[in-house]
Amino acid sequence: MKNFLVHNDVMKKQMLDDIGVDSIFDLFKQIPTEARMAGLELGDALSELAVQRKIKSLAAKNKSDYISFMGGGVYNKFVPACISQVAGRFEFLTAYTPYQAEIAQGTLQIMYEFQTMISRLTGMDIANATVYDGATACAEAILMAVRISKKSSKVLVHKNINPEYKRVVQTYAWAGGIDIEEYKELPENLSEYACVLIQNPDYYGEIREIKGVEGCLLVVCTDLSSLSILKQPSLSGADIVVADIQSLGIPMNYGGPHAGVIACKEKYMRQLPGRLAGRTVDKEGNQAFTLTIQTREQHIKREKATSNICSNQALMGLWVNLYLSVMGEKGFRQAGYLSTKGAHTLAKGLEAKGYKVLNKNFFNEFLLEVGDADKFLEKLKANNILGGIKIDSAKVLVAVTEMITDEDIVSYLERV
């Protein structure tokens, strides 16, 4: 930074003259006055002890003892305590985005093992080293399918996918000149489409029967934690599988960060966005890891790039590696079983009280008809229970994870 020079008054005036304004404040005239902050209104300086007391008093206003039955794509899952301790070590926790060729062997190995675990979970041949989140994974998979198809820019999207995912898909599609059509039942002739996108379980928790399609690609958006019980998407004929990885041990953290992943058949490998890490041996015969395919415009000719994603969310991938390693196959299945058991127990209890469960088959989340959704949720919240997500004036989406105990379910049923 030895060559950095602070702008002096003469330099500032020259720049303002070149722009054609009189002062720096003229640059912000388009911002409405009511939207501007008049000042910070900071109080007098406090000692360290006084600051601690002040912060504790503010923190005490937070309500943190709610029992949560909320889902809709973000789930309160059990996260073994050791994960944050390992993932928070300085070797991993860095502001640097590890995407260049010189990244460390440890980071490359994490990426490789993450890809391996996702491939085993989904049953697909290959997986990339993450994308931003589940929504962008869906959108990137559609772009990928259109590139593979070469014949069509029309895509079918099931109407019950996560609404946030749907909005991101529509934005990508608009920018890419892709036509999105929503469907409830698949048409007989799919040859005019590049792909079909379906979510399983869908946003409302319904487990959908998926069969391989003919005439176009099948993209399945899945909840990876559901694969502890449900069959792999590959067995349903999926060509591309996408998911958000938050349910694999990543805390909710006020909404982020998350990460997404795309897995596919090997023949589509070169159309995957992001990067792939591979395992090889060095000239001395030792195991070594390396970036094998990089489809970003920073690495190859821009016209041949399949993605401009710059971050691979490597730290979130590490969380997933740690979670699946610590839980093991038995623990992973047990968490899925407890979630399913709790959800079905709650659903049966609610039906016994006269409420209508609108799902035929579900994993850990179901749609509930309650009459007055606001009144239903407010009553539960008054008893320190977050009862679900309001879908409309009469329906609530209720989720149960392994964090919900039998006593929590009884409390829910007693207060509705």
Side-chain angles (χ1 to χ4, degrees):
M1 298 296 288
K2 64 180 180 179
N3 294 324
F4 176 74
L5 297 175
V6 178
H7 296 151
N8 58 35
D9 291 339
V10 174
M11 296 168 66
K12 290 178 182 177
K13 186 176 186 311
Q14 181 63 52
M15 285 190 287
L16 291 171
D17 289 342
D18 290 344
I19 295 172
V21 297
D22 296 326
S23 72
I24 291 176
F25 298 103
D26 290 338
L27 300 175
F28 306 100
K29 282 183 176 179
Q30 68 272 30
I31 300 176
T33 304
E34 61 271 17
R36 302 184 194 182
M37 184 182 292
L40 295 178
E41 299 180 1
L42 295 176
D44 296 333
L46 301 175
S47 67
E48 182 178 347
L49 181 59
V51 169
Q52 289 178 357
R53 289 173 177 165
K54 178 70 172 178
I55 291 175
K56 286 180 180 178
S57 69
L58 293 173
K61 297 180 180 180
N62 291 326
K63 292 284 289 184
S64 58
D65 56 346
Y66 285 111
I67 303 169
S68 178
F69 289 83
M70 301 181 75
V74 181
Y75 302 95
N76 182 26
K77 303 284 288 182
F78 171 67
V79 183
C82 62
I83 294 180
S84 62
Q85 295 299 313
V86 176
R89 287 182 59 88
F90 69 90
E91 294 96 335
F92 302 119
L93 192 56
T94 171
Y96 176 67
T97 301
Y99 60 80
Q100 302 290 9
E102 72 273 12
I103 58 182
Q105 281 292 296
T107 302
L108 286 165
Q109 183 174 353
I110 289 168
M111 291 165 54
Y112 178 81
E113 292 179 353
F114 171 83
Q115 294 167 186
T116 303
M117 291 178 178
I118 296 299
S119 293
R120 289 187 61 186
L121 275 179
T122 60
M124 303 304 288
D125 297 330
I126 198 162
N128 67 1
T130 72
V131 291
Y132 290 129
D133 55 19
T136 52
C138 288
E140 290 283 353
I142 284 176
L143 298 182
M144 181 178 168
V146 170
R147 290 194 300 270
I148 294 169
S149 169
K150 296 180 182 179
K151 65 178 181 180
S152 175
S153 59
K154 295 175 65 177
V155 170
L156 282 171
V157 175
H158 194 273
K159 68 181 187 67
N160 285 350
I161 73 166
N162 187 309
E164 293 180 0
Y165 295 7
K166 190 181 297 185
R167 287 195 291 271
V168 173
V169 164
Q170 289 168 344
T171 300
Y172 269 64
W174 171 83
I178 297 170
D179 294 324
I180 300 294
E181 295 181 16
E182 288 191 21
Y183 77 94
K184 184 177 181 180
E185 299 293 337
L186 280 176
E188 292 185 5
N189 184 11
L190 298 175
S191 60
E192 61 179 303
Y193 299 98
C195 72
V196 172
L197 170 62
I198 189 169
Q199 186 173 0
N200 187 48
D202 67 20
Y203 179 69
Y204 303 110
E206 185 73 16
I207 298 172
R208 313 206 70 83
E209 183 180 1
I210 300 177
K211 298 179 180 178
V213 299
E214 294 184 6
C216 69
L217 298 180
L218 175 61
V219 180
V220 176
C221 176
T222 187
D223 174 1
L224 293 171
S225 67
S226 74
L227 300 182
S228 59
I229 292 177
L230 303 182
K231 69 179 183 180
Q232 298 169 315
S234 62
L235 300 178
S236 299
D239 295 291
I240 303 171
V241 176
V242 298
D244 192 297
I245 65 175
Q246 185 273 330
S247 64
L248 299 186
I250 298 176
M252 293 185 288
N253 291 336
Y254 299 97
H258 286 201
V261 68
I262 305 177
C264 67
K265 294 179 177 178
E266 186 176 0
K267 62 183 177 180
Y268 304 134
M269 175 176 62
R270 291 190 176 275
Q271 292 298 332
L272 269 174
R275 302 152 325 141
L276 294 173
R279 183 175 64 180
T280 184
V281 293
D282 63 18
K283 64 180 181 180
E284 297 176 352
N286 299 316
Q287 176 178 265
F289 297 90
T290 183
L291 288 178
T292 54
I293 293 181
Q294 304 171 70
T295 57
R296 298 167 61 244
E297 63 185 27
Q298 289 91 333
H299 297 123
I300 61 177
K301 291 181 179 180
R302 180 173 296 180
E303 63 271 17
K304 293 185 178 181
T306 59
S307 173
N308 62 355
I309 290 175
C310 341
S311 170
N312 79 324
Q313 306 290 66
L315 186 62
M316 298 300 98
L318 171 62
W319 274 76
V320 170
N321 285 0
L322 293 169
Y323 173 81
L324 291 174
S325 299
V326 171
M327 295 289 282
E329 184 175 344
K330 183 177 180 180
F332 181 54
R333 290 187 182 278
Q334 184 180 18
Y337 168 76
L338 291 173
S339 299
T340 305
K341 177 177 176 290
H344 283 261
T345 299
L346 178 58
K348 289 178 182 177
L350 288 166
E351 285 183 319
K353 293 180 74 72
Y355 295 101
K356 186 176 182 181
V357 175
L358 301 178
N359 301 72
K360 294 181 180 178
N361 302 292
F362 58 92
F363 168 58
N364 73 320
E365 203 162 13
F366 57 90
L367 191 60
L368 186 67
E369 193 172 276
V370 297
D372 188 329
D374 289 326
K375 186 177 180 180
F376 180 87
L377 293 174
E378 286 169 6
K379 185 178 179 181
L380 286 168
K381 189 174 181 180
N383 289 280
N384 283 3
I385 297 173
L386 300 177
I389 297 174
K390 177 183 174 182
I391 299 300
D392 60 32
S393 61
K395 299 184 188 69
V396 172
L397 183 63
V398 182
V400 177
T401 71
E402 67 273 18
M403 299 294 284
I404 297 296
T405 65
D406 292 341
E407 291 77 14
D408 295 334
I409 292 173
V410 170
S411 295
Y412 194 109
L413 294 171
E414 288 177 345
R415 288 164 173 78
V416 295

